Amino acid sequence: MEFKKLAEIRESCRSYNPNKPVDRALMEEILVSTTNSPSACNSQPWKFVACDGEVAAKIPDLIIRDDLKINLWTTEVPNFVVVCETKAKLMSSLKCDSQFYAQMDLGLAISTLCYAAADNGVGTCIIGVFDEEKLKEILNIPEEIKVRAIVAMGYPKEEGTREKFRKPAVEAFSFNSFQ
Amino acid sequence: MEFKKLAEIRESCRSYNPNKPVDRALMEEILVSTTNSPSACNSQPWKFVACDGEVAAKIPDLIIRDDLKINLWTTEVPNFVVVCETKAKLMSSLKCDSQFYAQMDLGLAISTLCYAAADNGVGTCIIGVFDEEKLKEILNIPEEIKVRAIVAMGYPKEEGTREKFRKPAVEAFSFNSFQ
């Protein structure tokens, strides 16, 4: 699909078919695209843990926040990708903290993951609130690793896309001067 | 183009045709796609300042680091997009700092920008080292705004793509367990 169209139809999906998981071959293909993302000094400060089956079924409990009434829809999500920030190696001459660009790098990669999924009819939703300690226990993630996001994945229950709400173009971009 | 292919051919371009800038209509189209990116609580904590002509010509001086011998190639770049982090508005119930997810959000958007460009034959290179104070002066960026990246843009001087070097798949992703 033309990328302009893909960027339009990509949306945060919060309603999944629980009986149709993404198969491993497609998930691997999506993850290979994801790792083709750029990163500062090509440092690739990431590891993606794709969860399916019984392991995926344990994740909604670590995401749902009854108090905030958010993420209640995750019980029907068949797949999750847990996005971990690993130690980055930057050019030493930059003289900055090794993780200075890591969050932006993870954003670059998560974006690729969402587009690679959408291009295959797979829905995604990026989740930033979760019980990191329990997640680390379940997925054998070392203590020193930071989990930055969980991406819910699966086939959307409903067809079609919603209208996107974005701030006015004049607030989002300009030419040759900020204001 | 199929997204899988687009993710393969997108690469950091460091050799541009200085005589062929990206025209405003295409730049706007790319920026509209960019602003279709997701962000935490749809907060869109970004403003993109696209630079061309005389303003773009002032930017290489703020990027080139003779001491580090980096970014010397930017003198031939016809366009730059300066990526600014603006104040994010998250759900107050999240009780976290408003900018907690902003860097990841900017990464999501920059990634979209790079793919939208690549799908139109436009090369990109994300630059993270620059003289922020002078940049703010030239582009009238308010003091409280953080500039997070500059994206060099233009038509590549050479055809074809290079081989990508990525860490082994086993270090980049796994299923159901980190290790």
Side-chain angles (χ1 to χ4, degrees):
Chain A
M1 177 182 324
E2 193 192 358
F3 183 75
K4 183 183 168 183
K5 182 79 190 158
L6 189 62
E8 270 168 31
I9 64 143
R10 193 256 4 120
E11 63 181 12
S12 296
C13 173
R14 294 184 182 85
S15 176
Y16 292 86
N17 179 344
N19 304 313
K20 193 181 171 194
V22 180
D23 70 40
R24 288 251 176 141
L26 176 56
M27 187 60 93
E28 272 208 36
E29 190 182 300
I30 290 170
L31 289 167
V32 167
S33 287
T34 300
T35 58
N36 271 332
S37 303
S39 57
C41 302
N42 196 24
S43 57
Q44 309 163 62
W46 50 57
K47 180 151 191 180
F48 304 94
V49 186
C51 304
D52 53 17
E54 283 174 24
V55 175
K58 293 178 186 170
I59 293 186
D61 265 356
L62 314 182
I63 294 176
I64 291 172
R65 289 283 300 271
D66 284 319
D67 54 334
L68 305 181
K69 304 238 182 307
I70 59 170
N71 300 334
L72 304 174
W73 52 271
T74 56
T75 52
E76 295 201 315
V77 175
N79 303 79
F80 293 95
V81 171
V82 175
V83 181
C84 303
E85 178 182 323
T86 61
K87 181 97 176 155
K89 233 186 176 168
L90 303 181
M91 288 179 352
S92 59
S93 55
L94 286 183
K95 292 190 178 72
C96 70
D97 179 81
S98 69
Q99 304 311 103
F100 186 72
Y101 300 105
Q103 289 189 62
M104 210 147 65
D105 290 342
L106 292 183
L108 293 164
I110 293 169
S111 174
T112 307
L113 188 150
C114 293
Y115 290 125
D119 203 37
N120 283 284
V122 173
T124 53
C125 189
I126 308 166
I127 296 165
V129 177
F130 42 83
D131 185 331
E132 189 177 3
E133 285 315 304
K134 285 198 186 143
L135 197 60
K136 285 183 172 183
E137 220 177 283
I138 290 174
L139 300 178
N140 306 306
I141 298 172
E143 190 45 43
E144 70 274 15
I145 298 289
K146 183 87 195 140
V147 180
R148 288 284 180 193
I150 297 177
V151 184
M153 293 177 75
Y155 293 92
K157 201 179 257 178
E158 288 137 38
E159 285 187 20
T161 53
R162 306 183 305 272
E163 191 187 347
K164 275 193 168 64
F165 294 95
R166 292 296 183 268
K167 59 186 180 186
V170 67
E171 287 175 33
F173 61 82
S174 57
F175 283 87
N176 292 326
S177 179
F178 184 94
Q179 40 205 347
Chain B
M1 176 183 327
E2 192 193 359
F3 183 76
K4 182 183 169 185
K5 181 76 188 159
L6 189 62
E8 271 169 28
I9 64 143
R10 193 256 3 120
E11 62 182 12
S12 295
C13 174
R14 294 184 184 84
S15 175
Y16 292 86
N17 180 344
N19 304 314
K20 194 182 170 193
V22 180
D23 71 40
R24 288 250 176 140
L26 177 56
M27 187 60 90
E28 272 206 37
E29 190 183 300
I30 290 169
L31 289 166
V32 167
S33 288
T34 300
T35 58
N36 271 332
S37 303
S39 57
C41 302
N42 196 24
S43 57
Q44 311 163 62
W46 51 56
K47 179 150 191 181
F48 304 93
V49 186
C51 304
D52 52 18
E54 283 174 24
V55 174
K58 292 178 186 169
I59 292 185
D61 265 357
L62 315 181
I63 294 174
I64 291 172
R65 291 283 299 270
D66 284 318
D67 55 332
L68 304 180
K69 304 239 181 309
I70 60 169
N71 299 336
L72 304 175
W73 52 271
T74 55
T75 52
E76 296 202 314
V77 175
N79 303 80
F80 293 96
V81 171
V82 175
V83 181
C84 303
E85 178 182 321
T86 61
K87 182 97 177 156
K89 232 185 178 169
L90 304 180
M91 287 176 359
S92 60
S93 55
L94 286 183
K95 292 191 179 71
C96 69
D97 179 80
S98 69
Q99 304 311 103
F100 187 72
Y101 300 105
Q103 289 190 61
M104 211 146 65
D105 290 342
L106 291 184
L108 293 164
I110 293 170
S111 175
T112 306
L113 187 150
C114 293
Y115 290 125
D119 204 36
N120 283 285
V122 173
T124 52
C125 188
I126 308 166
I127 296 165
V129 177
F130 42 83
D131 184 331
E132 189 178 3
E133 285 317 303
K134 286 198 186 143
L135 197 60
K136 285 183 171 182
E137 221 177 281
I138 290 174
L139 300 179
N140 306 306
I141 299 172
E143 192 44 44
E144 70 274 16
I145 298 290
K146 183 87 195 137
V147 180
R148 288 284 179 195
I150 297 177
V151 184
M153 294 178 74
Y155 293 92
K157 202 180 257 177
E158 289 137 36
E159 285 187 19
T161 52
R162 306 183 306 271
E163 191 187 347
K164 275 193 168 64
F165 294 95
R166 292 294 184 267
K167 59 186 181 184
V170 67
E171 289 175 32
F173 60 83
S174 57
F175 284 86
N176 291 327
S177 179
F178 184 94
Q179 42 204 345

